[in-house]
Amino acid sequence: KAKENGKNDCMLYSDSWSNSSFERLKLQHEMYRAIQRHEFVLHYQPQYDLKSGIMVGVEALVRWNHPVRGLLAPGSFIPLAEESGMIVQIGDWVLEEACRQNKEWQDAGLAKIPVSVNLSIRQFLQHDLASRIAEVLETTGLEPKYLDLEITESMTIDVGHITRCLLEITNLGVGISVDDFGTGYSSFHYLKNFPIDRLKIDRSFVRDIQQDPSDAEIVAAIIAMAHNLNIQVIAEGVETEEQMEFLKKHRCDEMQGFFCSPPVSSDNIEQMLKAG
Ligand code: C2E
Ligand code: MG
Ligand code: MG
Ligand code: MG
């Protein structure tokens, strides 16, 4: 069938195809050793209170310091890790490292703020998730209120299981945020059925707040609705002062985005916390 296409097309097609599947296999194989080799690192993106401008949290974002390819963004390996199931081990490492680091900052006398950790659906399907979280809090000594877990709307595979799991987690005193809010098919279902503390307005709505009146309406409505339900709101992907002003005007609680800071190393966060 490939022969029906032009000769060059065919070669390009098969080349890039075999290449990429080979690369994927290789990367998947390398991922297995990456944890023991300490090749994963966490960067942290600050979250700010919109009224006071104070840093009120950080989101842990994983990177892979690959020996040959350099520092890889999650987009280039998380999907593979999800596919292979390795995300469970990587996610477990992320959870423990984020809690350990946060406790270290607190012990050094820096601000006590929660760290947000992204959870994969695969981690939810492990039935011991809540006890694993309790164990990590115990071993790192971090108080539960300084951990926040980010879940996404795609996590509706087994609603009963997820509801029980989320209740177990909130009973520990750990916070729950809905990430990328508004991009899935089940936004309202989440708000109605799950014990949610905070929602994160997806960056795709924030991006065109200034140009697109419907995005502006949607963002304003999400904030108002969340507040009526006693849910805090943080806007993701804030890149301009105008976006920030809009969010402030509509009483959004917090913001996160390149306008304030991209994700940075733990050393950088330490400096920022020291500077106040
Ligand atoms: P996310 O959880 O929605 O994280 C926010 C992403 O948006 C980050 O990309 C961040 O660098 C980027 N971002 C923040 N502010 C801005 C902005 O103002 N403009 C733009 N254009 N982008 C901004 P990153 O670090 O590449 O992470 C991408 C995604 O990978 C995350 O999206 C999350 O879904 C996933 N991810 C990252 N770390 C983990 C992890 O430890 N576990 C799991 N399961 N997923 C993770
Ligand atoms: Mg997130
Ligand atoms: Mg997000
Ligand atoms: Mg997003």
Side-chain angles (χ1 to χ4, degrees):
K1 190 172 179 229
K3 276 182 187 162
E4 288 163 17
N5 303 324
K7 204 177 173 186
N8 286 331
D9 282 348
C10 168
M11 285 188 61
L12 268 177
Y13 177 73
S14 58
D15 268 10
S16 64
W17 183 81
S18 61
N19 218 331
S20 81
S21 65
F22 173 71
E23 289 298 323
R24 283 157 59 88
L25 260 176
K26 196 161 156 239
L27 212 57
Q28 229 165 42
H29 181 68
E30 291 166 341
M31 220 183 279
Y32 280 96
R33 294 174 305 188
I35 291 187
Q36 292 109 296
R37 297 187 176 183
H38 307 286
E39 288 171 4
F40 290 109
V41 285
L42 294 186
H43 280 189
Y44 298 87
Q45 187 175 31
Q47 303 173 332
Y48 295 90
D49 181 80
L50 265 163
K51 251 197 238 149
S52 65
I54 291 172
M55 197 197 296
V56 289
V58 289
E59 176 176 6
L61 294 157
V62 69
R63 275 91 181 90
W64 180 2
N65 205 344
H66 190 280
V68 177
R69 296 160 194 257
L71 199 65
L72 300 180
S76 59
F77 64 90
I78 290 280
L80 263 178
E82 297 265 4
E83 222 173 87
S84 66
M86 264 298 283
I87 190 66
V88 173
Q89 286 95 307
I90 296 173
D92 193 67
W93 176 83
V94 169
L95 179 69
E96 184 155 351
E97 172 60 15
C99 291
R100 188 204 61 74
Q101 177 66 80
N102 196 13
K103 179 70 165 108
E104 190 181 296
W105 285 328
Q106 298 189 0
D107 287 348
L110 300 173
K112 291 194 168 196
I113 55 175
V115 63
S116 296
V117 171
N118 292 284
L119 281 192
S120 145
I121 180 66
R122 290 273 203 152
Q123 289 172 278
F124 260 92
L125 296 176
Q126 309 281 103
H127 42 247
D128 61 344
L129 180 62
S131 47
R132 177 58 188 146
I133 292 167
E135 187 183 297
V136 167
L137 291 169
E138 175 83 29
T139 51
T140 59
L142 186 71
E143 284 175 72
K145 64 176 170 187
Y146 296 119
L147 175 63
D148 174 80
L149 299 174
E150 296 193 5
I151 60 174
T152 58
E153 285 177 48
S154 54
M155 293 184 180
T156 38
I157 293 173
D158 180 348
V159 174
H161 170 74
I162 289 173
T163 308
R164 277 190 300 279
C165 201
L166 284 177
L167 280 172
E168 277 173 41
I169 292 170
T170 48
N171 283 339
L172 294 173
V174 170
I176 303 285
S177 297
V178 183
D179 204 356
D180 307 332
F181 185 82
T183 58
Y185 298 103
S186 50
S187 309
F188 295 111
H189 180 90
Y190 260 72
L191 294 187
K192 184 171 147 54
N193 296 291
F194 296 153
I196 303 299
D197 300 291
R198 183 173 74 158
L199 61 83
K200 305 189 72 175
I201 302 178
D202 190 68
R203 143 168 124 236
S204 58
F205 298 106
V206 174
R207 191 179 47 220
D208 302 324
I209 258 177
Q210 295 301 119
Q211 298 81 27
D212 187 336
S214 52
D215 279 337
E217 285 298 332
I218 289 169
V219 168
I222 292 175
I223 297 168
M225 178 185 63
H227 284 168
N228 285 333
L229 294 168
N230 250 320
I231 294 171
Q232 296 272 106
V233 186
I234 179 166
E236 294 190 283
V238 178
E239 293 185 354
T240 68
E241 186 167 5
E242 291 73 30
Q243 292 167 347
M244 183 182 76
E245 290 306 330
F246 178 95
L247 293 160
K248 242 190 210 170
K249 195 175 113 198
H250 290 272
R251 303 211 156 63
C252 186
D253 303 289
E254 299 167 6
M255 65 171 279
Q256 177 178 349
F258 294 169
F259 179 65
C260 289
S261 170
V264 296
S265 71
S266 56
D267 284 353
N268 278 322
I269 290 289
E270 218 167 295
Q271 296 310 316
M272 291 161 92
L273 287 174
K274 276 179 186 157

